[in-house]
Amino acid sequence: MKILILISRVFVSILFIISGLIKANDTIGFSYKLNEYFEVFSLTFFSEFSVLIAATICVLEIVLGVMLLLGNRLRFVSWSLLLMIIFFTFLTLYSAYFNKVTDCGCFGDAIKLTPWQSFWKDIFLLIPILVIFYHQEKIKPIFVHKKSDVISILSTLLSISFVLYTYNYLPFKDFRPYAIGKSIVDGMKDCYELNLPCPEQSAIYIVKNKKTGELSKMSAKDWSAQLNEFDFVEATDDNVIISKGYERLISDFSIQLNNYDITDSILNENKVFLIVSYDIEKANSNAFEFINDFYNLCIEKKHTIIMLSGSSSELLEKFSSNFNDQFSYAFTDETVLKTMIRSNPGIIELESGTVRNKWHYNKFNQIKSLYFD
């Protein structure tokens, strides 16, 4: 039993610390995922506090993992872990059964899990947490009480600092297909262009057993292998995935300017700066004083610069008149822009379709020193 308790303690501790750190690395991205859950459960009034809730969950996971590893405040830790895993299991089961949220965000963009994978992950994790809960008195602390408290407080402060850093700047590690060094052009290529196995789907047929006359549903692929046993009745509107194959990393990136698709021309530019604002009404307005100056500098240096937004043309026109800007506004899907950079507004530098740099609005001043001083 001692070995089982030790394994459970170490496993749960490490998993919670890693999970918390990955989500804390991209608190804004995690808040987007929470907003999806709020919409599913008609709790949209929580969306206003989604970033704060996301940050709290990140810090709590890290600190609980550290405290469990130390063997500190075990009654609080064991109850917290149990309540959290029960809550998360309910969410993932609901998402899986009703197919509401396709990715739980448990490990951010680092590890993608399907709804059912997330649910079974939580069921598996529930077992060692129950071991810890029922045998907490057998877990001995590594250090004396006061020293463990000091380490727990330090881990809390460090976790909060890490969350604040990634929120006020950009994720320390970017796992998305728009990360620095990634080619958007390559990310948009499909399995045929890359000569990789492609996803395979099969239609669902209603078939009749030749001996019993019983009707049943079967994939077209399975039916073709059992022609002697089943007769075709009719095709349904459903289909089933036979093999996932390679799916494009970027499937919905496009730039529309005055109803023209200029995606290819932008991606073929030797150097282009993208001003990104997924929602112009929620953008940090103070950053646009710099952006106007930056636009003029780019024009002087003959660098291509364009603004991408998911806002309506009416809102953009109103915003443009208020800030007296001169640059062109192009439309890109809001979700894509949120994925590209966790800053509103943010600036991305592309070279022939490859992301060379990104700047949060809190670091816009770095651009001048890099390119124009």
Side-chain angles (χ1 to χ4, degrees), residues 60-121:
L60 188 59
E61 285 192 357
I62 297 169
V63 175
L64 286 175
V66 171
M67 291 178 72
L68 176 60
L69 202 59
L70 294 172
N72 187 33
R73 309 281 179 179
L74 284 172
R75 182 175 176 79
F76 166 75
V77 171
S78 58
W79 270 106
S80 298
L81 291 173
L82 183 62
L83 292 175
M84 284 182 72
I85 196 61
I86 290 173
F87 178 68
F88 288 147
T89 302
F90 165 74
L91 285 184
T92 53
L93 175 60
Y94 185 91
S95 298
Y97 188 79
F98 293 102
N99 197 29
K100 291 294 185 180
V101 181
T102 56
D103 172 31
C104 70
C106 309
F107 298 99
D109 291 298
I111 304 174
K112 295 285 189 178
L113 297 178
T114 65
W116 282 114
Q117 286 174 337
S118 300
F119 169 71
W120 290 115
K121 180 266 298 177

Side-chain angles (χ1 to χ4, degrees), residues 40-230:
V40 167
F41 291 100
S42 300
L43 299 172
T44 50
F45 55 87
F46 279 123
S47 297
E48 185 178 350
F49 311 101
S50 60
V51 174
L52 179 60
I53 295 171
T56 302
I57 293 173
C58 295
V59 172
L60 188 59
E61 285 192 357
I62 297 169
V63 175
L64 286 175
V66 171
M67 291 178 72
L68 176 60
L69 202 59
L70 294 172
N72 187 33
R73 309 281 179 179
L74 284 172
R75 182 175 176 79
F76 166 75
V77 171
S78 58
W79 270 106
S80 298
L81 291 173
L82 183 62
L83 292 175
M84 284 182 72
I85 196 61
I86 290 173
F87 178 68
F88 288 147
T89 302
F90 165 74
L91 285 184
T92 53
L93 175 60
Y94 185 91
S95 298
Y97 188 79
F98 293 102
N99 197 29
K100 291 294 185 180
V101 181
T102 56
D103 172 31
C104 70
C106 309
F107 298 99
D109 291 298
I111 304 174
K112 295 285 189 178
L113 297 178
T114 65
W116 282 114
Q117 286 174 337
S118 300
F119 169 71
W120 290 115
K121 180 266 298 177
D122 288 338
I123 291 294
F124 179 77
L125 187 56
L126 179 61
I127 297 170
I129 289 178
L130 286 173
V131 171
I132 293 165
F133 183 82
Y134 285 109
H135 300 280
Q136 55 187 278
E137 72 283 350
K138 296 180 181 178
I139 299 177
K140 294 184 178 180
I142 297 177
F143 303 111
V144 295
H145 187 67
K146 287 185 178 180
K147 191 171 184 179
S148 292
D149 278 344
V150 170
I151 295 174
S152 298
I153 291 170
L154 285 175
S155 68
T156 303
L157 294 175
L158 288 172
S159 300
I160 293 172
S161 299
F162 184 54
V163 167
L164 289 174
Y165 177 85
T166 57
Y167 173 78
N168 286 294
Y169 299 102
L170 290 176
F172 188 77
K173 172 66 177 176
D174 195 341
F175 295 99
R176 288 158 289 155
Y178 300 96
I180 294 174
K182 297 281 188 177
S183 169
I184 296 177
V185 176
D186 289 343
M188 294 173 67
K189 290 179 179 178
D190 60 25
C191 54
Y192 300 103
E193 294 173 289
L194 296 172
N195 195 29
L196 293 171
C198 294
E200 183 183 354
Q201 293 188 349
S202 177
I204 299 294
Y205 291 164
I206 295 177
V207 296
K208 182 171 70 173
N209 189 296
K210 292 183 178 182
K211 292 183 178 179
T212 65
E214 182 182 359
L215 297 178
S216 60
K217 288 185 177 181
M218 183 180 295
S219 71
K221 185 174 182 179
D222 288 342
W223 174 71
S224 63
Q226 303 177 69
L227 295 175
N228 295 330
E229 299 179 44
F230 296 91

Side-chain angles (χ1 to χ4, degrees), residues 188-348:
M188 294 173 67
K189 290 179 179 178
D190 60 25
C191 54
Y192 300 103
E193 294 173 289
L194 296 172
N195 195 29
L196 293 171
C198 294
E200 183 183 354
Q201 293 188 349
S202 177
I204 299 294
Y205 291 164
I206 295 177
V207 296
K208 182 171 70 173
N209 189 296
K210 292 183 178 182
K211 292 183 178 179
T212 65
E214 182 182 359
L215 297 178
S216 60
K217 288 185 177 181
M218 183 180 295
S219 71
K221 185 174 182 179
D222 288 342
W223 174 71
S224 63
Q226 303 177 69
L227 295 175
N228 295 330
E229 299 179 44
F230 296 91
D231 286 328
F232 171 81
V233 177
E234 63 178 333
T236 70
D237 294 330
D238 302 323
N239 58 57
V240 64
I241 297 175
I242 303 299
S243 63
K244 285 190 174 182
Y246 175 83
E247 296 181 358
R248 289 190 294 178
L249 299 176
I250 300 173
S251 59
D252 45 8
F253 178 78
S254 69
I255 303 174
Q256 306 288 326
L257 180 63
N258 298 326
N259 295 322
Y260 289 98
D261 191 319
I262 61 168
T263 308
D264 290 340
S265 61
I266 292 296
L267 294 179
N268 287 326
E269 287 275 358
N270 289 330
K271 183 186 288 290
V272 58
F273 290 98
L274 306 177
I275 312 297
V276 177
S277 175
Y278 73 88
D279 186 336
I280 204 71
E281 288 188 305
K282 296 179 181 178
N284 185 304
S285 56
N286 295 328
F288 280 88
E289 182 178 347
F290 170 87
I291 289 175
N292 280 332
D293 293 338
F294 179 58
Y295 172 84
N296 293 326
L297 288 171
C298 284
I299 296 302
E300 288 178 18
K301 296 289 184 178
K302 296 183 179 180
H303 294 321
T304 301
I305 180 169
I306 190 169
M307 179 158 185
L308 309 184
S309 180
S311 299
S312 66
S313 56
E314 291 79 13
L315 284 175
L316 292 173
E317 287 175 10
K318 180 181 177 181
F319 184 86
S320 180
S321 61
N322 288 340
F323 282 87
N324 195 31
D325 56 48
Q326 307 172 52
F327 44 83
S328 301
Y329 288 92
F331 178 82
T332 298
D333 181 75
E334 180 178 315
T335 302
V336 173
L337 296 178
K338 285 181 176 181
T339 305
M340 290 178 72
I341 189 168
R342 305 301 199 201
S343 177
N344 187 20
I347 295 178
I348 299 176

